[in-house]
Amino acid sequence: MKETPAKGGVFGNVKFSMDANPKLGDAMMDERCKDPSFYVIRDDLLHPFVNGNKARKLDALLPLIEDCSGTDVVTCGGCQSAHAAAVAVSCAERGLRSHLLLRGEEPGILTGFNLISSIYGNVIYVPRSLYAKREEMLLRHANVTAGPSGSVVWLTDILYNFTDLASGKYCTQTKANRNTEDGMRKVVIVKEGAGDAVALLGIIRLLSYLSQSHILGKKRPYNFVIDAGTGTTAIGFALGALILGLPWKVTAVMLADSYDGYKNQENRLISDYKRYAPADLCNYELKDDLVQWVNRKTPRKFGNVLEGEIKACQQVSNQTGVPIDPIYTLAAWELAVQLSQKQPDNGEKVVMLHTGGTLGMFGLAQRYNSYFSTLKDGPPQ
Ligand SMILES: *Cc1c(COP(=O)(O)O)cnc(C)c1O
């Protein structure tokens, strides 16, 4: 473990301790009384090309596809989609074929997530006008991929056939349909972002891992800071804490939607989850305190980068060894800095879940080349 003295605006007066695994020694627990500091869960280190939270969301989904003898996966996303890249890599690792429908034109030079998707899967660029009708586009492409003898199924329909997802029980009826003959394709369509209730299971597995006594344990209070796109990761995390009975809070930075949008997503995922795993949440009534949704310090249209932010990311990486990006994890970093400066009396510690996203920097370097040229001067000291 190494302590880094705090410097500059992206640090406040917060100190950093580095450890790839969040093993919390008692020395560290005493430390927090004196100086503001926070922990970082390095979920970005799960895989070199698959973002931490994308890997979590696919954790329970891919075994389902394999279990119903899927041969091909069709999904979609933006040109630099981390989700598409995650599907491409994870499918290749399991011997499934992936087909990634990416919005817009093929870029002149492939880089970042786009490059990874192209290396691991079949990338098809779809004009924006066709992409606008997403379901139609996905279905059409899935049908072409399946060919005349193959079959096409939506992931949501596979899920419907489960009686209890959490315990892996499903209707006998699906079992009969499972075996496809050799050479026949069974194409599974996964919606953009994989934001279904099944994504929550992988996130809940992360909590069950973290709550082991040699990591965070089950007793101490923590406030987890999570950057929210669709909000699925943050909601899954908070639900997991509830189901596992952990005294953990979730504070999520709203990056891509309004407060009402995130509340709707909360409702939708909870009712979905109740349908798939009824025993887990049978007594749960939706309250207003599942996730604390907060605004970004510097709000903007999702995907935009402000002047100085690339430099700020460079500075954090340089001073702490933790890579962050301006779209997602810088927002979580800034909130973690802010929250750890007013640590509450109950000893609640701030923990940033590092969701990954470093490869996103490569795509940004194409879009914002002037911001990147200033990196040559080195980080601000
Ligand atoms: C996709 C992504 C998110 C958003 O996750 P949601 O579950 O959609 O909220 C956050 N951070 C990173 C790095 C991501 O790739």
Side-chain angles (χ1 to χ4, degrees):
M1 277 209 194
K2 183 176 131 205
E3 292 278 350
T4 308
K7 286 179 200 163
V10 270
F11 298 112
N13 60 342
V14 177
K15 279 194 158 189
F16 296 96
S17 311
M18 254 79 65
D19 190 341
N21 285 311
K23 292 187 224 93
L24 310 182
D26 278 331
M28 275 304 303
M29 299 313 285
D30 297 338
E31 195 69 37
R32 73 168 176 224
C33 306
K34 288 178 256 139
D35 293 307
S37 65
F38 62 88
Y39 297 119
V40 179
I41 306 279
R42 297 294 310 273
D43 230 19
D44 58 321
L45 299 177
L46 266 186
H47 193 286
F49 306 131
V50 181
N51 273 7
N53 79 336
K54 302 297 182 283
R56 299 288 174 195
K57 290 199 232 178
L58 296 174
D59 188 20
L61 191 154
L62 288 169
L64 274 177
I65 292 177
E66 288 183 301
D67 203 49
C68 72
S69 308
T71 59
D72 293 69
V73 176
V74 173
T75 193
C76 63
C79 182
Q80 284 292 345
S81 167
H83 159 70
V87 168
V89 175
S90 311
C91 281
E93 285 175 351
R94 287 166 180 269
L96 298 165
R97 278 181 296 259
S98 67
H99 309 268
L100 304 318
L101 308 178
L102 303 184
R103 186 179 57 231
E105 307 278 297
E106 175 167 6
I109 298 169
L110 306 185
T111 185
F113 288 117
N114 180 270
L115 174 62
I116 297 299
S117 295
S118 311
I119 290 174
Y120 284 86
N122 303 301
V123 169
I124 303 99
Y125 295 91
V126 180
R128 282 162 204 276
S129 56
L130 295 178
Y131 195 95
K133 294 182 192 133
R134 227 158 281 195
E135 308 221 326
E136 223 179 280
M137 162 190 84
L138 285 165
L139 191 57
R140 192 179 332 109
H141 194 82
N143 280 323
V144 171
T145 304
S149 59
S151 61
V152 171
V153 60
W154 291 82
L155 177 75
T156 34
D157 293 334
I158 298 179
L159 290 172
Y160 265 112
N161 284 308
F162 274 77
T163 50
D164 189 349
L165 199 55
S167 66
K169 282 186 229 134
Y170 51 101
C171 310
T172 43
Q173 184 206 342
T174 358
K175 261 192 186 144
N177 295 338
R178 271 167 71 197
N179 298 323
T180 40
E181 281 168 36
D182 277 354
M184 275 222 269
R185 292 196 175 197
K186 182 164 181 185
V187 183
V188 180
I189 306 177
V190 176
K191 275 194 240 156
E192 188 164 6
D196 293 290
V198 67
L200 303 178
L201 296 176
I203 300 161
I204 296 170
R205 183 146 86 124
L206 167 63
L207 273 96
S208 116
Y209 168 80
L210 290 173
S211 66
Q212 297 172 95
S213 54
H214 67 288
I215 306 179
L216 296 176
K218 295 182 173 59
K219 300 210 172 70
R220 286 181 174 135
Y222 292 101
N223 186 1
F224 282 84
V225 174
I226 301 177
D227 45 336
T230 62
T232 310
T233 308
I235 295 163
F237 211 95
L239 269 183
L242 192 81
I243 292 166
L244 300 172
L246 301 166
W248 299 357
K249 268 190 354 205
V250 174
T251 308
V253 208
M254 300 184 284
L255 299 176
D257 206 345
S258 63
Y259 177 79
D260 289 342
Y262 286 111
K263 282 312 250 192
N264 284 341
Q265 175 76 341
E266 233 177 57
N267 282 318
R268 193 179 67 83
L269 285 175
I270 290 169
S271 64
D272 265 21
Y273 192 88
K274 277 185 174 171
R275 195 170 70 228
Y276 298 134
D280 278 351
L281 287 173
C282 54
N283 294 323
Y284 181 70
E285 293 292 326
L286 186 61
K287 291 184 234 100
D288 238 11
D289 56 0
L290 187 68
V291 175
Q292 309 295 313
W293 298 103
V294 302
N295 285 310
R296 188 170 190 172
K297 204 170 75 181
T298 46
R300 82 281 308 267
K301 181 171 170 284
F302 179 63
N304 282 0
V305 176
L306 307 184
E307 177 104 46
E309 287 184 337
I310 303 286
K311 265 315 234 187
C313 293
Q314 180 188 31
Q315 192 183 9
V316 170
S317 306
N318 174 270
Q319 302 283 314
T320 68
V322 179
I324 57 172
D325 76 286
I327 304 291
Y328 285 115
T329 45
L330 175 63
W333 182 277
E334 288 171 340
L335 180 62
V337 166
Q338 188 192 325
L339 291 175
S340 60
Q341 278 165 340
K342 40 178 187 199
Q343 226 112 209
D345 298 338
N346 65 356
E348 181 185 273
K349 185 86 197 167
V350 174
V351 185
M352 170 183 160
L353 177 65
H354 196 313
T355 44
T358 314
L359 275 177
M361 284 288 238
F362 293 82
L364 292 177
Q366 283 185 328
R367 264 174 64 204
Y368 293 98
N369 45 52
S370 67
Y371 289 168
F372 280 81
S373 60
T374 66
L375 295 190
K376 293 178 199 146
D377 309 332
Q381 294 299 320

